[in-house]
Amino acid sequence: MSLVSPWRSDFPALAILEAQGQTYLDSAATAQKPQALIDALTGYYTCGTANVHRAQHQAAERATRAFENSRIKVAHWLNAQSPTEIVFTHGATEALNLLAYGLEHRVRPDDEIVVSALEHHANLLPWQQLARRRGARLVVLPLDEQGLIDLDAAARLIGPRTRLLAVSQLSNVLGAWQPLAQLLPLAKAQGALTVVDGAQGVVHGRHDMQALACDFYVLSSHKLYGPEGVGALYGRGESLLELHHWQFGGEMVRVADFQSAEFHAAPLGFEAGTPPIGAVIGLGATLDYLAKLDGAAVTAHEQVLHMKLLAGLAVRPSVQVLGKPQVALASFRVEGVHHGDLAHLLTEQGIAIRSGTHCAQPLMKSLGVDGAIRVSLGLYNDGTDLERFFAALDQSLELLR
Ligand SMILES: Cc1ncc(COP(=O)(O)O)c(C=O)c1O
């Protein structure tokens, strides 16, 4: 029996892609958008755009209200203590760069910044470059065979020189929830600040910032069914006070003179220039849409699909799945077949997957592989998508052998 997503028709692109013979299995790269978002964007751009936090005219007030409402919605989605703990950025990557610049003053020569071996380049390179700028050391936590950060190694490697710990909640390659509840306190005990890359994790289930108890958490709207060009940085109230300003210009400044200036505190002090207003409003509308869904039903649907994906891969000889994925995706290789060749044939058959190093080259190296194919699922995927994928996989492998 086929597994049907009751939410598929909320995403108009799915029907169009299907009519074009495309099966979308690349949601970890970016997700398709719900009609609710498309309507919100149309509404905003049709009713007259205006800049936010500046003018008093009607359109400006409307835009500012809608923009600030989105901040409230993100804060609510994450169970932040206050909307002032939410800074809008242009994406998760920018939020991580903001942190690496904003926290630079905390890192001194010979200090240590700790990341893990599974980080996306977005949560590796900003810290690597910060370490280089400050003469600090980047310490990399190894993984166990399940693809989880090794907690024994973490207990050894996180020490008095650790200033920052920056780790992913859910790997975009291995699909495993990381043991943050055990890991973050190790850094906290050393007085280090903790940063969680929630770009993938935020898409699956609700995450409570007060329970997670990290200092900073970043998310990406476009993976959460929202528009591109916007992301959010959550910062615990007192942790945000640690951040130095990093981009300078309009709206983030309170008083400016030729030789000096004073800046706003968070969030406005970290939103220099005109923000992506439409996208922020769209993200708010997307969260409204997601909040109306039965979260438990979405999680159950994703789990059943995921099991079907893993089971289908497991019965195909010579397919090796990387790690032990727990949700939403599986990255795999096939013995004797180059992932690029396989991806080419799958693409020709209309299967939209991703192949390569998935912005995690050091992880691939540490796994001893040069790349993999990744199938990733969204709440709109059906059992039929997986049936089409497996049919295409079998046909491709027959051709390649
Ligand atoms: C784990 C992880 N972190 C960060 C990012 C970067 O997100 P953004 O596209 O919003 O910059 C991605 C995107 O693939 C990701 O998967």
Side-chain angles (χ1 to χ4, degrees):
M1 197 184 73
S2 251
L3 189 67
V4 173
S5 164
W7 310 287
R8 193 174 178 96
S9 58
D10 297 342
F11 294 79
L14 268 296
I16 291 169
L17 288 170
E18 201 169 329
Q20 294 167 347
Q22 297 289 310
T23 300
Y24 194 74
L25 291 167
D26 197 18
S27 294
T30 198
Q32 300 302 326
K33 315 304 176 198
Q35 187 64 47
L37 160 61
I38 298 163
D39 291 344
L41 289 178
T42 307
Y44 168 65
Y45 287 116
T46 310
C47 291
T49 57
N51 218 321
V52 289
H53 304 132
R54 289 160 168 84
Q56 265 111 46
H57 57 79
Q58 214 183 40
E61 276 189 5
R62 196 169 53 232
T64 302
R65 212 174 316 116
F67 184 88
E68 288 304 322
N69 270 338
S70 284
R71 201 188 301 281
I72 294 169
K73 288 169 193 176
V74 174
H76 183 66
W77 188 259
L78 297 175
N79 195 30
Q81 241 169 7
S82 158
T84 57
E85 294 182 322
I86 305 300
V87 175
F88 286 119
T89 63
H90 292 92
T93 302
E94 192 186 61
L96 290 160
N97 277 280
L98 183 168
L99 291 173
Y101 280 101
L103 297 172
E104 180 162 333
H105 63 100
R106 280 186 58 101
V107 179
R108 301 210 160 78
D110 297 327
D111 278 350
E112 291 173 351
I113 301 170
V114 179
V115 296
S116 85
L118 56 71
E119 300 310 320
H120 187 282
H121 294 156
N123 194 36
L124 169 66
L125 302 183
W127 307 116
Q128 178 196 87
Q129 295 302 309
L130 167 58
R132 289 172 75 117
R133 288 198 299 279
R134 301 298 280 177
R137 228 160 55 84
L138 194 77
V139 174
V140 182
L141 302 178
L143 309 179
D144 64 17
E145 321 76 68
Q146 316 270 319
L148 299 176
I149 296 170
D150 183 329
L151 287 170
D152 291 334
R156 279 196 310 277
L157 291 169
I158 295 173
R161 299 230 61 91
T162 305
R163 290 289 161 268
L164 291 160
L165 168 71
V167 286
S168 278
Q169 185 180 30
L170 180 68
S171 160
N172 65 311
V173 177
L174 302 175
W177 294 108
Q178 295 306 312
L180 298 183
Q182 293 84 22
L183 188 60
L184 300 187
L186 297 176
K188 282 272 134 204
Q190 302 292 341
L193 289 173
T194 54
V195 175
V196 174
D197 176 355
Q200 296 290 340
V202 77
V203 184
H204 306 287
R206 295 286 288 265
H207 303 286
D208 180 331
M209 292 303 111
Q210 296 182 56
L212 187 59
C214 57
D215 291 293
F216 300 101
Y217 183 91
V218 308
L219 67 85
S220 171
S221 153
H222 70 92
K223 296 186 196 291
L224 186 55
Y225 308 103
E228 302 95 358
V230 62
L233 164 67
Y234 157 82
R236 183 173 304 284
E238 67 272 17
S239 311
L240 280 173
L241 298 176
E242 298 276 344
L243 280 182
H244 282 189
H245 294 90
W246 81 302
Q247 283 186 345
F248 301 89
E251 281 312 293
M252 55 76 66
V253 68
R254 213 162 50 75
V255 193
D257 209 337
F258 279 118
Q259 302 300 337
S260 64
E262 286 172 26
F263 309 115
H264 285 299
L268 290 193
F270 295 88
E271 294 176 359
T274 299
I277 303 165
V280 166
I281 293 171
L283 171 59
T286 306
L287 293 181
D288 283 344
Y289 163 76
L290 292 174
K292 281 190 206 128
L293 306 184
D294 174 349
V298 171
T299 302
H301 176 74
E302 288 187 351
Q303 278 300 346
V304 177
L305 263 190
H306 190 241
M307 310 258 280
K308 198 173 157 98
L309 170 61
L310 293 184
L313 290 172
V315 296
R316 282 163 171 86
S318 58
V319 168
Q320 300 143 356
V321 173
L322 303 187
K324 290 260 181 303
Q326 297 165 355
V327 71
L329 61 84
S331 299
F332 68 95
R333 294 170 53 81
V334 182
E335 217 178 290
V337 172
H338 192 270
H339 57 87
D341 296 336
L342 179 53
H344 179 72
L345 290 181
L346 288 170
T347 306
E348 276 196 339
Q349 293 172 81
I351 307 297
I353 40 81
R354 173 107 183 256
S355 97
T357 54
H358 311 291
C359 299
Q361 289 177 25
L363 169 63
M364 292 295 171
K365 269 191 208 137
S366 69
L367 294 172
V369 298
D370 62 353
I373 301 234
R374 182 184 69 190
V375 174
S376 58
L377 307 166
L379 58 86
Y380 37 63
N381 283 116
D382 275 345
T384 48
D385 293 329
L386 291 182
E387 281 151 27
R388 283 194 210 115
F389 161 68
F390 282 121
L393 178 63
D394 291 341
Q395 202 171 330
S396 305
L397 291 178
E398 222 171 277
L399 277 170
L400 286 167
R401 283 197 175 119

